[in-house]
Structures are given as C-alpha cells and as structure tokens.
Amino acid sequence: MSYSIKAAADKFGLTPNALRFYEKEGLLPHVERSKSGIRRYSDEDMEWLSLICCLKNTGMGIKQIREFVNLTLEGPETLAQRCQLLRDHKREVEEHIAQMQQLLQKVSWKIGYFEGQYQEYQKQKEILE
C-alpha cells in the first residue's frame, strides 16, 4: 500500500512540511516518487515514521535520529551501536520521567495545600456571613 504525503502526515499528526523536512534531513531516505514527482509513502516508510515520531516525542534530537537511520542503512554490523544508542536514549527518558514524577509530586502537594486553604477560607467566609 502507498500513502500520499497528506495521508502520511495526517496519520502521525504531522504536516506535509514536517515530512519534507524529515526527508531533507535524511530521516526518510527511500521515499519513492511517482513519475510526476509526487511522494508515495510505503508501509515501510510509515513504520520508519512511527519510529521517528516515537524517538522525537521522547526527546531525541534530529541529529541522533539521523545517526540511528544512517547506522541502520549501514546494515547488521551496526546493530550493537543502534542498541547502545537506543539504550542511552531509554536511560535519558527514564531520568526525565523520574524528574517529572518529582515535579508532579510537588504540584500535587501544592494542590492539596491550596485546597485546604480554600476550604478554610470558605469556612471563615460562612462564619462572617
């Protein structure tokens, strides 16, 4: 099956310009084109887009994603390097999640604190009325 640039972009919540950018940056190196030059995204391209979006949405930069793509294009002798790159990224994501959990705890504590103050304020207001 093949997808138009609009269909591919819509599937991942991207714009056609984002897909053109990814192609220009070497993240989608094998997008086929029709005789008239229209991009046609294959199922394999869509799988790559899914991975690119996953990596990007978890904070991996374009440069690192390009490195991963280039390693993949070099073949199976780069499997260890690709695994390491993904392990490093996973560790960074886990650290970020841990930091966000700590911040979330603080926000939750503040919500409880201000809700308590608001309830106390409401009681005082009722007494004065």
Side-chain angles (χ1 to χ4, degrees):
M1 181 168 201
S2 69
Y3 302 82
S4 69
I5 193 167
K6 181 174 179 356
D10 287 349
K11 181 169 174 117
F12 296 102
L14 301 170
T15 65
N17 282 339
L19 295 185
R20 289 183 196 100
F21 174 76
Y22 290 166
E23 189 176 346
K24 179 181 160 230
E25 290 296 313
L27 307 185
L28 291 168
H30 300 298
V31 175
E32 298 282 327
R33 290 182 184 245
S34 69
K35 289 181 182 182
S36 58
I38 296 172
R39 290 171 175 85
R40 300 304 302 169
Y41 294 86
S42 68
D43 289 331
E44 186 178 342
D45 295 325
M46 298 298 276
E47 189 60 36
W48 268 110
L49 272 170
S50 175
L51 178 60
I52 290 166
C53 289
C54 171
L55 295 174
K56 186 175 178 301
N57 290 337
T58 55
M60 185 180 278
I62 297 294
K63 183 179 175 183
Q64 285 180 296
I65 297 171
R66 184 184 318 112
E67 179 184 351
F68 182 82
V69 170
N70 289 337
L71 287 169
T72 301
L73 294 173
E74 290 177 27
E77 56 275 354
T78 65
L79 283 166
Q81 291 169 278
R82 286 182 265 165
C83 286
Q84 189 59 51
L85 194 146
L86 291 175
R87 273 190 223 101
D88 292 345
H89 180 63
K90 180 179 181 275
R91 185 177 8 86
E92 289 172 12
V93 171
E94 290 169 342
E95 289 171 3
H96 183 72
I97 289 170
Q99 291 170 352
M100 294 304 289
Q101 286 291 341
Q102 289 176 339
L103 295 172
L104 183 59
Q105 286 176 353
K106 183 169 186 164
V107 169
S108 295
W109 184 87
K110 278 293 190 185
I111 289 169
Y113 175 78
F114 287 127
E115 284 177 342
Q117 283 194 328
Y118 181 69
Q119 288 172 0
E120 191 60 37
Y121 166 77
Q122 289 292 76
K123 287 178 188 174
Q124 292 300 319
K125 190 174 160 184
E126 288 173 10
I127 292 171
L128 294 175
E129 291 178 344

